[in-house]
Amino acid sequence: MSVILEVHDLDVSFTAPAGSVRVVRGVSFSVGTAETVAIVGESGSGKSVTALSLMRLHDPDKTRISGSVKFKGTELLEVPEIRMRSVRGNAIGMIFQEPMSSLNPLMQIGDQIAEAILLHRDKSRTEARRRALGLLIQVGIADPERRMREYPHQLSGGMRQRVMIAMALACDPEVLIADEPTTALDVTVQAQILDLMRELKTRTGSSIVIITHDLGVVAELADRVVIMYAGTKVEEGTTEEIFSRPAHPYTIGLLGAIPSLTRNRNDGPLTEIPGQVPPANQARVGCSFAARCSFSSSICFEIEPKLEQVSSSHVAACHHKSEALLA
């Protein structure tokens, strides 16, 4: 499988009144052609910042991005902004986390979808609107002709999310980045959105990077999983490896918090990870998860663990990964 998107040693810092705050720390991963990679972690883990950095969507005056982001061999962190605009929404599409704040409240749905087509494709307005209508049909919007004329506030949350997917797919991108695509949707709509993404991947062959805190979504969609904590990658493996042989205590905690239909009252409470993700501006020594970890020992508070191989396709950054694998 060829690599279409390669991220190496990505660092992201924001300018703050008290100085620079490093929010993503040396993150590396790759995405193969027609592969789905999930980036997973709690709020504050840096996963959404990572996604936005791939598209260079942060304020350049307040953000410092270093490392490498290569799309089909082209270094995206170095190309001029005018060329980057031809990548966004064209070669790489993005589904944003909050459809209501991402859609223009003053533009009709049809015009918003057609806008990307007019920008990146040599199409007339009539052709662009015809394509927009076809996309609404493709993503399962009922009565698409009427929806074309409506505004975002007239649509339900599930419909707005489908419109975001239609916009992201307007120019047949080779990579689709989906930032929490099922957040705040009821379980029925969540299932419909996941079915839609799975169907679109099969039909178009696009690669997908999905950002989520929901391991149920990961199990449904992902081929490979990157676990992030406090701005760093702490584990990566195939979906099967992450679910069957997690090697980092944080991953074990996330898996233990997944509700199950087969669970009953005698199984006891779901696992709770004590504490919270440390703030990005907090000075760090050792493992950033040590204070919340049941496996931690003195070395965890003194030396930061490095990513090490668990198998040929599985890495983890933990001094106690051998014990974690046996847990």
Side-chain angles (χ1 to χ4, degrees), residues 211-223:
I211 314 298
T212 184
H213 64 275
D214 188 338
L215 282 166
V217 171
V218 173
E220 287 276 341
L221 284 180
D223 301 305

Side-chain angles (χ1 to χ4, degrees), residues 25-254:
R25 301 165 176 253
V27 169
S28 300
F29 63 92
S30 62
V31 183
T33 304
E35 182 182 36
T36 298
V37 174
I39 302 179
V40 180
E42 294 170 275
S43 296
S45 63
K47 56 190 189 298
S48 290
V49 172
T50 298
L52 292 170
S53 299
L54 304 183
M55 301 279 274
R56 278 175 44 185
L57 288 172
H58 297 299
D59 184 343
D61 296 327
K62 299 179 180 179
T63 312
R64 180 181 177 276
I65 303 175
S66 63
S68 174
V69 178
K70 289 184 178 178
F71 172 68
K72 298 175 70 174
T74 298
E75 179 55 71
L76 297 184
L77 298 186
E78 295 179 357
V79 301
E81 174 60 23
I82 192 168
R83 185 176 172 191
M84 193 64 202
R85 290 174 191 167
S86 70
V87 173
R88 297 189 196 108
N90 186 22
I92 304 177
M94 186 159 185
I95 305 169
F96 293 94
Q97 186 171 352
E98 296 290 344
M100 198 58 191
S101 58
S102 301
L103 294 169
N104 187 330
L106 302 179
M107 284 181 70
Q108 292 179 347
I109 294 301
D111 290 335
Q112 296 196 52
I113 300 172
E115 187 176 44
I117 301 166
L118 290 169
L119 179 64
H120 296 296
R121 295 288 187 266
D122 184 20
K123 301 288 185 183
S124 67
R125 181 164 294 277
T126 299
E127 290 172 322
R129 287 187 63 83
R130 188 181 302 121
R131 166 70 171 155
L133 179 63
L135 285 162
L136 289 182
I137 294 170
Q138 186 177 332
V139 298
I141 293 282
D143 198 358
E145 291 88 352
R146 177 163 66 91
R147 302 303 181 188
M148 287 274 288
R149 300 186 297 273
E150 292 185 336
Y151 294 87
H153 73 273
Q154 295 175 281
L155 306 184
S156 67
M159 284 186 180
R160 287 194 292 266
Q161 194 63 281
R162 289 169 188 266
V163 169
M164 289 295 299
I165 294 174
M167 290 174 67
L169 294 173
C171 295
D172 298 318
E174 295 174 77
V175 176
L176 179 65
I177 301 173
D179 189 3
E180 299 280 9
T182 60
T183 295
L185 302 177
D186 66 58
V187 290
T188 302
V189 178
Q190 283 186 28
Q192 292 171 350
I193 295 297
L194 294 179
D195 286 343
L196 174 61
M197 292 183 68
R198 192 184 298 108
E199 177 191 339
L200 292 172
K201 177 188 173 182
T202 301
R203 186 165 65 244
T204 66
S206 295
S207 302
I208 298 175
V209 179
I210 184 166
I211 314 298
T212 184
H213 64 275
D214 188 338
L215 282 166
V217 171
V218 173
E220 287 276 341
L221 284 180
D223 301 305
R224 200 151 42 86
V225 186
V226 174
I227 304 291
M228 285 187 66
Y229 182 78
T232 64
K233 181 175 81 172
V234 297
E235 187 166 6
E236 179 180 357
T238 65
T239 303
E240 182 180 357
E241 287 168 329
I242 293 298
F243 277 78
S244 63
R245 298 187 71 235
H248 197 284
Y250 180 57
T251 309
I252 293 173
L254 292 176

